[in-house]
Amino acid sequence: MQQVDLTHFVFNIENADAVNHIVVFLTGTMPFPEGMGGAIHFSWPSPEGVAWQFLGYITNEKPSAIFKISGLKKGNISANNPFMQATQPGQQMNTVSQIGIAVEPTAQIAQQIPAKNTQTSNVSNFTEFTTKMLENFYNFASSFGITQAQMTPQPDVSWVPLTVLDKWYETFKRKMSQDVNFWKS
């Protein structure tokens, strides 16, 4: 981490072309001051300077965020970006992308518009991911299913009836539909 000034911080990201998502979170050791949050920016190097793009924000009430950056284009330089003083047009092109965090009033952050083609993680994305993951696991495990008549005695192998997997999967889907955060308790 590089501190640009009292309210701006920059993190270097090597080989950012190979990165699909970035995760930004508070560690819990030091909260933001009351009414403040962290505006998250991402930069792509370009011959004209560094193109900073606003992704979203974190606050004490929303202490983490996941941003999809694979859809971002190496784009136009934002002239009124708070990180422009860190890298000016005409400087030698940097091959390292950066994450910039600006500590700003939450009212000011809320008025900013995130770059196109970025997605912050939300409940529906999490629900979709867990559903697809569990369906994949269920399909994989059930592909090994055999009937009792097909079983051969193997004392060193444990067997789990598919009905147990069916019951667990249905219970999990029911709990997920009632409360997507049930697994946290």
Side-chain angles (χ1 to χ4, degrees):
M1 175 191 75
Q2 175 187 356
Q3 186 169 357
V4 178
D5 60 34
L6 289 175
T7 60
H8 295 89
F9 305 88
V10 177
F11 298 83
N12 291 334
I13 306 295
E14 300 285 335
N15 195 19
D17 286 333
V19 177
N20 291 321
H21 293 80
I22 59 171
V23 178
V24 181
F25 56 92
L26 294 175
T27 62
T29 58
M30 186 175 198
F32 285 113
E34 187 68 31
M36 303 293 277
I40 313 301
H41 300 265
F42 186 78
S43 74
W44 290 106
S46 75
E48 296 84 35
V50 176
W52 286 98
Q53 299 177 16
F54 176 69
L55 300 180
Y57 63 93
I58 58 174
T59 63
N60 293 335
E61 294 75 31
K62 181 182 166 259
S64 66
I66 301 172
F67 302 102
K68 180 179 179 182
I69 61 167
S70 60
L72 294 176
K73 302 288 184 207
K74 298 177 183 177
N76 300 323
I77 296 172
S78 173
N80 57 3
N81 189 282
F83 295 98
M84 286 308 294
Q85 53 194 316
T87 51
Q88 294 295 326
Q91 282 185 334
Q92 185 175 4
M93 186 172 151
N94 183 0
T95 58
V96 176
S97 291
Q98 296 177 316
I99 297 171
I101 301 178
V103 179
E104 301 173 347
T106 53
Q108 181 180 334
I109 295 172
Q111 294 176 7
Q112 297 181 46
I113 300 170
K116 292 181 181 179
N117 298 322
T118 62
Q119 297 175 324
T120 57
S121 178
N122 59 33
V123 171
S124 64
N125 287 345
F126 175 75
T127 303
E128 182 180 350
F129 167 74
T130 55
T131 301
K132 294 291 184 187
M133 179 187 67
L134 291 174
E135 286 174 356
N136 182 280
F137 169 72
Y138 180 83
N139 291 336
F140 175 78
S142 61
S143 72
F144 294 97
I146 58 175
T147 64
Q148 191 170 10
Q150 296 169 317
M151 294 176 74
T152 56
Q154 296 178 355
D156 59 334
V157 176
S158 297
W159 297 92
V160 176
L162 279 179
T163 54
V164 171
L165 186 59
D166 286 334
K167 183 178 178 182
W168 171 81
Y169 182 56
E170 291 303 319
T171 301
F172 190 90
K173 286 194 313 186
R174 180 181 45 77
K175 287 181 178 180
M176 185 68 110
S177 69
Q178 293 171 350
D179 178 13
V180 295
N181 293 314
F182 80 92
W183 54 273
K184 290 183 178 182
S185 57

